[in-house]
Amino acid sequence: MVEALLFFAPASLIIIGALIVIFARNPVHNAMGLVMTLVSLAIIYITLNATFVAMVQMLVYAGAVMTLFLFVIMMIGVDKKEQSTDSIKGQTYLVSGVFLILISLLAYVAVSSDFKWDLWFAPTENNIEGTPQLIAGFLFTEWIFPFEIISILLIVATAAAIALAYDIKKRNSNA
Amino acid sequence: MLEVTTDWYLTLAAMLFAIGFMGMMIRKNALIMFMCIELMLNAVNLTFIAASKHFGQIDGQVFVFFVLVVAAAEVVVGLAIIVSIFKKQSSASVDVLNVSRG
């Protein structure tokens, strides 16, 4: 009972938040919908025994990434009217149709199998808890090479962001 | 009372991905499109975590960590591009962007 509640309450919040993200007209509301989705996902991660990932989700996504988004929204301005004409004719209706087909396919599979999908592998009895210690043990042994590569990726991303934002003409005219 | 199995998590992830995809297609504001990409990335993360629990192996959670880092890097570069486009065209609509030279 509690387990089901701990799934369905965050799950409905995730879907509502996602719908706010795509349908709200004010960019700040979109960002808040995204925060709602991300925080509810963190709750779901905790119920799935992934405590470290839940913490990182809160810090990195709900904290850093959302701050960045809000910062850019404030910089660009929230009152810019979005143009509503489709550049591809009937694009909105086409995509809505594809979306409905996808969702109804999902619903059909769920209902026809009586909500018990026959997954290829049975769930394991081995219950693991994704603590920082356990994750770090894997990260610094088995996954050490990808870990080193993403450090390069982060440096490159930082350099790229600075290079893109740096206005070299303005700098030269000031000097 | 019904039991919450891995299927439910996978269904939720699929719905979240579908919503993100739809938003990506119907919105014109580049910023909102970025948020939809975040939605899709999070749907994939949820799949990884559910599979990690299902199989009792930690590797899925380690991989989510990598996805988070790549997503953060992508957001940083993407938002820098949006800001520099906005400086030039004073609009964040993707329909205005029809040239690829600087």
Side-chain angles (χ1 to χ4, degrees):
Chain A
M1 180 64 203
V2 176
E3 195 195 331
L5 194 71
L6 271 177
F7 172 73
F8 285 109
S12 47
L13 283 178
I14 286 172
I15 298 297
I16 292 168
L19 289 175
I20 291 174
V21 171
I22 69 171
F23 286 124
R25 288 285 143 189
N26 184 336
V28 178
H29 295 171
N30 295 78
M32 288 304 128
L34 191 54
V35 169
M36 193 164 132
T37 303
L38 298 174
V39 172
S40 312
L41 265 169
I43 296 170
I44 290 230
Y45 290 167
I46 290 172
T47 64
L48 282 169
N49 284 341
T51 30
F52 176 71
V53 176
M55 281 192 293
V56 173
Q57 170 94 0
M58 289 294 285
L59 288 174
V60 173
Y61 259 125
V65 170
M66 287 321 298
T67 310
L68 213 64
F69 264 116
L70 281 173
F71 190 73
V72 173
I73 288 170
M74 294 306 170
M75 213 166 151
I76 286 182
V78 291
D79 52 357
K80 290 274 182 291
K81 282 276 168 290
E82 189 173 329
Q83 97 190 56
S84 52
T85 49
D86 289 351
S87 51
I88 303 169
K89 221 173 165 202
Q91 185 187 12
T92 308
Y93 300 108
L94 197 70
V95 174
S96 304
V98 171
F99 177 76
L100 281 179
I101 290 170
L102 224 109
I103 290 290
S104 50
L105 202 69
L106 208 64
Y108 170 73
V109 173
V111 170
S112 67
S113 62
D114 203 18
F115 293 97
K116 283 191 174 49
W117 299 3
D118 198 10
L119 289 179
W120 287 345
F121 303 98
T124 173
E125 296 299 315
N126 171 23
N127 223 345
I128 49 149
E129 171 91 24
T131 54
Q133 287 92 337
L134 192 58
I135 300 252
F138 272 81
L139 197 59
F140 294 120
T141 53
E142 225 177 284
W143 293 83
I144 186 71
F145 191 58
F147 183 75
E148 295 295 337
I149 289 178
I150 57 165
S151 70
I152 298 172
L153 175 73
L154 279 177
I155 296 282
V156 171
T158 314
I162 292 171
L164 281 167
Y166 191 73
D167 202 337
I168 197 146
K169 278 183 208 134
K170 202 184 242 173
R171 167 86 182 171
N172 285 344
S173 64
N174 284 348
Chain B
M1 197 60 206
L2 84 171
E3 192 190 353
V4 180
T5 53
T6 313
D7 322 339
W8 288 94
Y9 293 102
L10 295 182
T11 313
L12 176 64
M15 283 171 75
L16 192 56
F17 193 92
I19 292 173
F21 173 75
M22 184 164 109
M24 183 82 195
M25 290 291 143
I26 63 175
R27 294 304 295 256
K28 300 289 184 326
N29 191 330
L31 217 52
I32 313 292
M33 289 171 78
F34 255 94
M35 290 183 195
C36 293
I37 293 178
E38 296 303 314
L39 284 183
M40 288 194 274
L41 282 168
N42 272 289
V44 175
N45 281 354
L46 180 58
T47 315
F48 270 122
I49 302 271
S52 170
K53 162 101 171 180
H54 188 80
F55 294 114
Q57 289 188 333
I58 201 78
D59 299 75
Q61 296 181 18
V62 179
F63 209 85
V64 166
F65 178 74
F66 289 121
V67 174
L68 277 169
V69 174
V70 173
E74 170 245 325
V75 164
V76 166
V77 176
L79 289 180
I81 291 174
I82 291 176
V83 167
S84 60
I85 286 170
F86 184 78
K87 270 193 215 151
K88 225 182 245 323
Q89 317 225 8
S90 71
S91 162
S93 171
V94 288
D95 280 350
V96 181
L97 309 171
N98 45 18
V99 286
S100 62
R101 70 192 144 80

